[in-house]
Every structure is written in structure tokens, then in C-alpha cells.
Amino acid sequence: MLTALRKIIEGVSSAQTLNDAMKCMVSQIKQALSADCCSIYLSETSQSGSVFRLAASDGLAESAVGKVCLGEKEGLVGLAGSRLEVINVAVARDHPGFKYLPEAGEDSYTSFLGVPIMHQRKVLGVLVIQQKEARKFNDEEESFAVTLAAQLAAEIIQAEMKSELTPGARSGVFRGAPVSDGVAMARAWVWRPHIELSQVALKKADDPEMQLELFRQVILQVQMELDSVLVRFEGGSVRDTGDIFDMYESLLNDPAFSNAIEDEIMKNGWTASSAVRITAEQIIAKYEGMTDAYMRERTLDVRDVAQRILSGLSHSEVDEFDVTEPVIVVAEEITASILAEIARDKLMGVVCLNGAANSHAAILARTLGVPAVTGVKLSLSKVADRLMIVDGSKGEVFTDPEPAVVAEYREIIEHERHISETAECESSGASVTRDGVRVPVSLNVGLTGAVSHSDKSLIDSVGLYRTEISFIVRNSFPSEDEQTEAYRRLLESYAPLTVTMRTLDAGGDKQLSYYPQKEINPALGLRGVRLTLEHPALFLTQLKAMLRASVGLGNLRIMIPMPCSVREISESRRLLDQAYDEVRASLPPEERESFARPPFGIMIEVPSVIYILEETSQYTDFWSVGSNDLTQYLLAVDRGNPSVSGLYDPYHPAVLKVLRYIAETASRLGKPLDICGELAGEPVGALLLLASGYRSLSMNESSIAKIKYLIRRADTSELAKMLSSVDLTDPDMIRKTFGEYAERIMKDSAEEK
Ligand code: PEP
Ligand code: MG
């Protein structure tokens, strides 16, 4: 049976489409088990509900494939799908759940084995094996079917990604991780890293010479790019690239190829991009018509080279991809550069096929205050240009929504706009709760690369400056002077407010391209302060740059990311003292006097540090909780992995207990405490933190007005009472209780007005 299993898996993996894979699977399973019938039902969800549709069968009527459907709890198929368990019965028609499907032609089958096809706790379909003889399938047959169902699940997910399936068809609801609050409605604008040939709009140019020049420059640039890729491969472990690159090179150097493109530009008047598309499509059509499989395969190379040229041209012809109306960006991966290319007033929402709730891409969307949902399994080609609604609070995406849904969301958008306008109106000045508790609200900056132009009157300080971005966007470590200049600009722009700078937090999900590390488990590897302590020269350079930048301003605080031991903290503190002495000694006497050592703090992100807070106390002037990583490490859930994003929960009772313990310890030791993770910028999170004893919150710019508005209407003793009476083991109840409190105080305040 093992051989049969391997053969089926091989057959399925080499199938070109999901339909082929399913056809191959049903006939091979039928054969391997000497069964009389094998079928696959796939789950389909639309706005009117879910069904299981017969998608492939060897044994049932062919005319029923694609047509026969069972409700989500109907028949033995529905039973297997809804109870998430294997149904193995000798005489199916005697089972109370049995449903007869006359059009499927299953009259002659008696026994039934149904196995749910699951992915991430979601039922994708049911695999069914039937036999004429009345018998129960044995254990070995059952586990064979379960193994194949798991294999099939992987194929289905891949097919969904490649858009072969039409989940929800044109008009549908898709679910993902709610990563940035708010609601938006606009056309979907699909972004792909490479421009596809078919995306190029054929256009005539009125400047052929210029187009020709552009094309020639880009050809050179693509040649250089490919050379450097080849060098990288050859320098690394990848060998045998010769063939692929020979083909690329020969195409790029082939005068017939470039002459054909140049002719399209000069003789026929096309733009460079159009000429590339026309020529490449002609060559592809020629190769596709050949009988030789090797030559047919070459169409991929032609396509790839042409797309590389188009990518090069697009940088010079930005207007082809200009976004001129409000859009929801939909992409496989969202990067800072995609978001940066779109004017802020045109960027309404973000939908990402990959990515999890606390990936840096998600934080970026929150920083910009744009509703976003990630980990959405929809097809890029099917949604392009369709009307879309993104509900960043619920994690839902609607494509081509029904008029009733559009009307409902119009109302929600209007209501949200009203609340944020009201909050904006009173966002400046101090935030003090109804019972007179002052709660400073600070700003997180750094992820977008640019220095924020936040109005200083809105905030009490900068609670977190993530310095790594200026390291990530470069090709080598920045020099001390370059760093000093950048930090000085930041410190000056916020002076006299305090700016808390975090030392380099690279590694993990923030890799430096010029310092690649091959680690099997980067989240637990050389990252944060571990990396800088490995390279004291690098660390000292950054510390000195920060210190030099602060001379005469005195508004700097420095903290280290991810320490996990007293040794790391004391060592970092020693290096800071060393850098301070050095910078101080280099100052003229009149500046030396007033140059104080900036407060030194740690981020509380690694669980071990929670148990040694007292021991760290003598080395630290303040603490700042990084709840994003703290949640990740406490729960052992990768914050950037969509497969486990459902388990990433900052409202988990363990996280809440730890947060409370940290606040109590800080208060007992008189240690200033901030929190700068995403939780502080969520309305429910901020109220929960106030209830837990936090009195200083740092967040993204887009959250500031809303959170200050809430703080001013909250009462800390009411909140503390609420926290002590709520069931801490139930995250949904906590969200509900504090969410209702938030709504109530906002409503009361609106009514008072
Ligand atoms: C955190 O982990 O909560 C944090 C603020 O740091 P970052 O998100 O940059 O890892
Ligand atoms: Mg962190």
C-alpha cells in the first residue's frame, strides 16, 4: 500500500491542474483499494451558504460531476464534513444520515468511507470511497484514505492560490486576519512583483527615439541584473544554472530579438513596453506551436526575460501604473515600497494573500491608518478592478458585493468617518481620564522610513523609534556620521519632546540583505540585542551616533530590543557607558558639562526577562513592553506566519496575566513603564492596559486621536473593577466586555454633546 501511496502522490504532484490531480487520484485510489467507486466533493461557500459539490469521481455518473450538491450537513458527506471525522459504514443506506442522490447513479454501492479534507481546521471537501459489497473498510484502508486526503488538501490550497477554483465565484466573502482596523470600499488594484505581458496596455508613442533609447538602456540593465544573479548563484551552493542563464543571455544578445523590438518601436510607432509585449508574444506563439517539448518549455524563459525588461521599463514609465483613483491594493505580499508608491489619499485599503496579523507589513498598514486584511485566499486575477469592501476589524473582504452589503457598509464608513473627525477635533493637549489620571500618549515611528511630521501637540513623546529601517533599506551598514545625521534630524524635529530610540533590532523577520544569516529558526536566532552584542563595534557605532546626535538637545532615551538575561542587559549598559565617556570626552568643555547620559531601558519581549525584572532593575532606568514579540514568544506562535495567525492572541489569559504582573512589579520598584506594542493602539487593548495599571501608551500615528478620545472618557477605577470581575480565561468575553465599555463611553459622550 505504501508503494501505491507514493505512486498516487507522485501522480498528483505532477498534474498540471487541480482537475487533473483529482481525476488521477480518484481512479488510482479506486484501483489501489480494489474499491468500486471513489469520489471527491469540494466545499463551496457563497453568500447563500455552503455546499459540498461533486468535483471528481470514478464510479459515479459522469454527468453528475460538477452538478450534484449536498448541503453542508446533508447526507454522509455532510456528516463527515460537519463532524470533522471519518465515516465508515458497511451499509450506507441504513445509516440515519444517508441521503439518496438519484442523479449520481450510486444505487449499486453499499459501503461508504468518507474522509474530511482539512486545511488549518477548515473543511475543504470530503473524499469518498464506496464498495458494492457490504463491508467496513479496515484500519489500513482508513489511514490510507486519511493520508491521501491530507495530500489533496495541499493541492486544493495551491489551486486556490493559483485561482483555478472560484471560491465564492465573482461575488464572494473571503476571510483573513484582521490586521488594521477600519472599513473601506473601492476598486481592487492588483499589484504583482513582475509586470505580466498581458498587463501592458498597447500604446503608440509620439517620441520613438526616446523609447528606443529607453529600451537600449533597460536591456543593458537587465543584462547586468542577470549577471549579478548568476554570480550570486555561482558563489553560493546553486550549480547547474548554466542552461537557464545561457538561454536568457542568448535571448538578450540575440540581434533578431532586439531588432524585432526596435522595429516595432521605430517602424510601427509602439511604446517600448508595447513593442516588448508584441515581440515576446510572437516568439511565444511560435514556440508553443512546436512539437518538441524542450522548445515549448522555452516560452517560459521568453516570458521571464520580457517581464524583466518590462519591470525595468516601468520604472521609467511610472504613469502606466499610476493610481489615479481611490483603490484597495491587493497583492501576494505587501512591502513598504508598494505602499509608498501610492499616494496616501488614493490608498483606501490593503488585502494581502500572505502575511499575518503582526508582521511588519501589517504594522505598516496600521501606521498609515489603512484598513487591512492579510492571509486572504483569493485569486489575484479574478478580483482585479472589481468593487471590493475591506473590513479590517472583522477580517472580511467582499468582492462585487450585493447592493444591500454596499448600503450597509456605506453607513458604517460614514459612522467611522464621523467618529474619527470628532476624535481629531480634540486630539491635541494632555490626555487625562475622567477620574483625573494622566496617561501620556506617545508615538511609534520608524517603520515607514520617513521621519513622521506628526503634530507635536498631539503627543507626549516618541515612545519607540525603530532604527532598523535605515539599516534595512541600504546595501551596507550605515556609517557613524550617516546615522548621527539621521538621528539628529529626528531628535531636532521632536525636541523638546523625549525620543526613545531602540538600538538595531535586525534578524528574525527583519533581515539585512548585506548581512544574511542562514538560520533554521531565525525567530529564536541571532536577533535584536543578541546580534549587536555579537558585534560590539557595530553596537558602539550606533550608540555613539545616537549620543552625538543628542548633544545640546538632551531629549534622547535609549533602549535595547529582546534582551533575555541580566548579562545582556549589564553588557549593553557597559557599552553605553563606554560610548558615552568617549563622546563626552570629545566635546568642547562648555558642552561637556550639560551632556548627561541618556536614560537606558530595555524592551520586555522575551518571557525569561519577566522573571528577572528585579535583577535587571539596577542597570535600567525604564522598561518598555513590546507586546507584539512578548505575545509571540509567550505563546510560541510566529507573528508572521499566517498558518498560525488564529493562535496569535494578545488577549490570551497568559499574556494578560503577564502584562498585569509587569505593571505591578514596575509600580513596586518605582520603575517607569511604557508599552509600545500594537495592543496599546487598539481601543480595547488600551482600555485593558489602563485596567491593568499601565499609565503610558505608545502607538502608531493613526491610533493617537482615537485612543486619546477614549482615555478622556474612561475611568480607571471602573476599568480595574471590570477587569477583576471578567473571566480572564475567555479572550472573546474580554474583548466583548471592554469593547462594550468603549462603545458606551463614546455614545454617552456623543449624547452629552
Ligand atoms: C514589539 O515587539 O511589540 C515591538 C514594539 O517591536 P517590533 O514590533 O518592532 O518587533
Ligand atoms: Mg519586537
Side-chain angles (χ1 to χ4, degrees):
M1 212 160 253
L2 211 59
T3 320
L5 193 64
R6 200 169 305 130
K7 209 171 128 214
I8 297 176
I9 292 177
E10 270 168 21
V12 167
S13 318
S14 62
Q16 292 293 319
T17 66
L18 178 65
N19 264 339
D20 289 350
M22 290 193 297
K23 269 192 204 150
C24 154
M25 201 174 228
V26 288
S27 65
Q28 291 199 25
I29 296 176
K30 184 179 137 182
Q31 203 184 348
L33 292 180
S34 305
D36 298 314
C37 175
C38 177
S39 318
I40 294 168
Y41 291 80
L42 290 185
S43 164
E44 248 182 47
T45 308
S46 67
Q47 276 164 351
S48 53
S50 295
V51 292
F52 288 108
R53 188 183 293 279
L54 181 64
S57 180
D58 185 348
L60 294 184
E62 228 180 286
S63 56
V65 174
K67 298 206 178 68
V68 162
C69 276
L70 282 155
E72 58 181 331
K73 291 192 177 155
E74 225 176 8
L76 296 182
V77 168
L79 194 67
S82 58
R83 292 189 34 177
L84 313 182
E85 65 179 1
V86 175
I87 304 290
N88 185 356
V89 287
V91 183
R93 73 181 76 85
D94 290 349
H95 192 285
F98 178 74
K99 170 139 200 256
Y100 176 58
L101 295 174
E103 62 277 44
E106 57 178 352
D107 305 52
S108 54
Y109 306 126
T110 310
S111 53
F112 177 101
L113 175 66
V115 180
I117 305 165
M118 310 274 304
H119 178 75
Q120 289 180 10
R121 304 181 194 187
K122 205 177 122 207
V123 185
L124 304 177
V126 178
L127 172 66
V128 174
I129 297 156
Q130 290 170 285
Q131 193 101 49
K132 289 182 180 159
E133 182 196 343
R135 69 165 184 111
K136 267 191 107 167
F137 290 84
N138 65 30
D139 284 357
E140 201 189 350
E141 289 167 324
E142 225 186 90
S143 63
F144 181 77
V146 169
T147 312
L148 287 167
Q151 178 69 22
L152 189 56
E155 293 295 323
I156 296 171
I157 290 298
Q158 266 200 359
E160 277 186 1
M161 297 284 284
K162 283 193 289 184
S163 80
E164 282 172 39
L165 291 178
T166 48
R170 260 180 65 114
S171 165
V173 195
F174 300 85
R175 290 203 169 73
V179 301
S180 180
D181 259 0
V183 175
M185 179 157 40
R187 302 244 150 243
W189 186 81
V190 170
W191 186 89
R192 289 185 174 88
H194 285 290
I195 298 136
E196 309 236 336
L197 282 181
S198 56
Q199 270 186 319
V200 176
L202 292 182
K203 275 200 279 191
K204 294 276 178 160
D206 35 22
D207 53 351
E209 270 85 19
M210 179 116 138
Q211 295 294 318
L212 185 66
E213 184 54 28
L214 212 58
F215 168 70
R216 287 181 175 164
Q217 274 175 16
V218 169
I219 281 275
L220 282 178
Q221 179 195 320
V222 173
Q223 264 162 347
M224 272 165 21
E225 260 172 41
L226 286 173
D227 282 349
S228 71
V229 174
L230 189 56
V231 168
R232 255 208 319 274
F233 273 144
E234 288 181 345
S237 56
V238 183
R239 304 272 169 224
D240 295 332
T241 56
D243 266 9
I244 310 169
F245 286 94
D246 282 354
M247 177 64 199
Y248 282 12
E249 294 275 319
S250 65
L251 197 62
L252 284 169
N253 294 323
D254 180 1
F257 179 63
S258 39
N259 286 348
I261 295 175
E262 293 190 3
D263 278 354
E264 292 295 343
I265 297 173
M266 295 310 289
K267 295 197 182 135
N268 299 334
W270 293 109
T271 61
S273 304
S274 306
V276 171
R277 174 179 170 177
I278 292 167
T279 311
E281 283 181 344
Q282 281 165 357
I283 301 175
I284 289 170
K286 198 170 82 196
Y287 282 166
E288 276 174 346
M290 291 185 178
T291 44
D292 182 345
Y294 177 81
M295 288 316 287
R296 280 204 312 272
E297 279 289 300
R298 300 283 66 79
T299 57
L300 286 181
D301 301 331
V302 177
R303 199 176 285 280
D304 192 19
V305 168
Q307 282 168 356
R308 274 173 185 272
I309 301 173
L310 288 174
S311 294
L313 287 170
S314 75
H315 293 301
S316 333
E317 296 177 19
V318 178
D319 64 351
E320 277 196 42
F321 303 96
D322 243 8
V323 175
T324 50
E325 56 168 47
V327 291
I328 289 168
V329 177
V330 188
E332 191 122 7
E333 297 271 5
I334 302 286
T335 63
S337 61
I338 306 175
L339 298 185
E341 286 208 14
I342 300 172
R344 179 62 196 88
D345 62 334
K346 301 287 182 296
L347 181 64
M348 297 293 113
V350 171
V351 173
C352 188
L353 273 54
N354 296 333
N358 271 297
S359 60
H360 284 86
I363 297 178
L364 209 62
R366 283 197 284 274
T367 304
L368 296 169
V370 173
V373 180
T374 62
V376 185
K377 298 285 171 268
L378 49 69
S379 137
L380 287 182
S381 47
K382 293 215 165 101
V383 299
D385 272 340
R386 301 241 179 272
L387 183 66
M388 187 175 257
I389 294 174
V390 181
D391 187 332
S393 317
K394 289 197 193 139
E396 287 180 344
V397 175
F398 297 80
T399 56
D400 282 331
E402 307 283 342
V405 179
V406 171
E408 183 192 335
Y409 271 92
R410 279 227 167 91
E411 231 174 78
I412 297 175
I413 291 169
E414 184 50 34
H415 177 70
E416 287 214 342
R417 197 183 53 79
H418 175 71
I419 296 218
S420 71
E421 273 175 11
T422 319
E424 297 284 342
C425 283
E426 53 162 86
S427 55
S428 49
S431 38
V432 180
T433 63
R434 258 194 295 130
D435 54 332
V437 179
R438 169 94 172 90
V439 182
V441 169
S442 313
L443 181 67
N444 291 351
V445 289
L447 264 181
T448 46
V451 169
S452 168
H453 294 292
S454 253
D455 183 350
K456 277 194 275 181
S457 69
L458 301 184
I459 54 170
D460 289 279
S461 69
V462 171
L464 168 66
Y465 172 55
R466 293 176 163 102
T467 56
E468 53 274 9
I469 287 301
S470 54
F471 285 75
I472 289 172
V473 297
R474 301 172 54 92
N475 297 322
S476 59
F477 286 110
S479 68
E480 187 178 322
D481 282 349
E482 283 167 330
Q483 290 186 56
T484 307
E485 204 181 298
Y487 302 153
R488 178 84 192 171
R489 245 184 292 134
L490 189 82
L491 290 171
E492 271 176 347
S493 67
Y494 286 102
L497 303 183
T498 306
V499 175
T500 304
M501 290 196 180
R502 178 173 75 183
T503 59
L504 180 63
D505 186 17
D509 57 341
K510 292 174 269 190
Q511 291 289 339
L512 303 176
S513 59
Y514 47 91
Y515 186 68
Q517 293 170 75
K518 288 203 177 74
E519 292 181 309
I520 291 176
N521 197 346
L524 301 183
L526 199 59
R527 55 168 308 187
V529 75
R530 296 175 188 176
L531 188 139
T532 43
L533 283 173
E534 274 292 296
H535 301 281
L538 200 79
F539 198 8
L540 281 166
T541 302
Q542 186 177 36
L543 292 170
K544 282 190 280 184
M546 288 177 177
L547 291 161
R548 277 175 53 201
S550 75
V551 172
L553 294 170
N555 60 340
L556 169 69
R557 297 203 308 175
I558 294 178
M559 69 179 174
I560 53 168
M562 312 262 315
C564 70
S565 68
V566 175
R567 195 197 63 77
E568 283 173 345
I569 296 165
S570 62
E571 183 62 10
S572 302
R573 168 69 191 256
R574 190 188 64 72
L575 288 170
L576 174 61
D577 289 344
Q578 181 180 326
Y580 169 71
D581 290 344
E582 213 177 295
V583 171
R584 189 168 188 274
S586 70
L587 294 178
E590 63 281 10
E591 282 182 338
R592 211 175 292 161
E593 273 319 296
S594 60
F595 184 60
R597 187 180 62 73
F600 170 71
I602 54 167
M603 287 196 72
I604 302 179
E605 301 183 285
V606 180
S608 61
V609 100
I610 299 158
Y611 298 95
I612 49 170
L613 283 173
E614 285 197 27
E615 291 81 346
T616 72
S617 188
Q618 60 170 307
Y619 303 105
T620 52
D621 303 307
F622 66 94
W623 300 337
S624 183
V625 178
S627 53
N628 308 337
D629 276 317
L630 185 59
T631 306
Q632 145 162 287
Y633 291 112
L634 212 49
L635 304 183
V637 176
D638 180 350
R639 65 193 256 197
N641 179 351
S643 332
V644 286
S645 59
L647 300 175
Y648 182 94
D649 188 2
Y651 298 88
H652 187 289
V655 180
L656 300 185
K657 274 191 182 177
V658 158
L659 286 173
R660 206 140 59 145
Y661 172 77
I662 297 169
E664 281 162 10
T665 312
S667 145
R668 183 163 51 81
L669 299 177
K671 192 68 66 185
L673 176 71
D674 309 322
I675 177 157
C676 60
E678 296 302 299
L679 193 62
E682 292 172 15
V684 170
L687 292 177
L688 197 57
L689 289 167
L690 288 183
S692 307
Y694 286 78
R695 295 293 177 261
S696 173
L697 311 176
S698 191
M699 63 202 68
N700 299 320
E701 192 173 343
S702 62
S703 298
I704 289 191
K706 211 188 310 176
I707 299 296
K708 286 180 85 168
Y709 185 83
L710 265 185
I711 292 174
R712 290 183 177 130
R713 282 152 187 83
D715 181 305
T716 55
S717 44
E718 273 174 19
L719 285 167
K721 230 182 273 161
M722 233 161 66
L723 184 60
S724 58
S725 58
V726 72
D727 177 6
L728 266 193
T729 61
D730 185 351
D732 289 339
M733 185 47 82
I734 291 171
R735 281 192 174 87
K736 186 165 176 281
T737 311
F738 283 85
E740 281 171 359
Y741 182 86
E743 269 174 28
R744 193 168 65 244
I745 57 177
M746 301 229 273
K747 196 163 145 258
D748 288 352
S749 133
E751 277 166 13
E752 270 165 33
K753 283 189 177 172

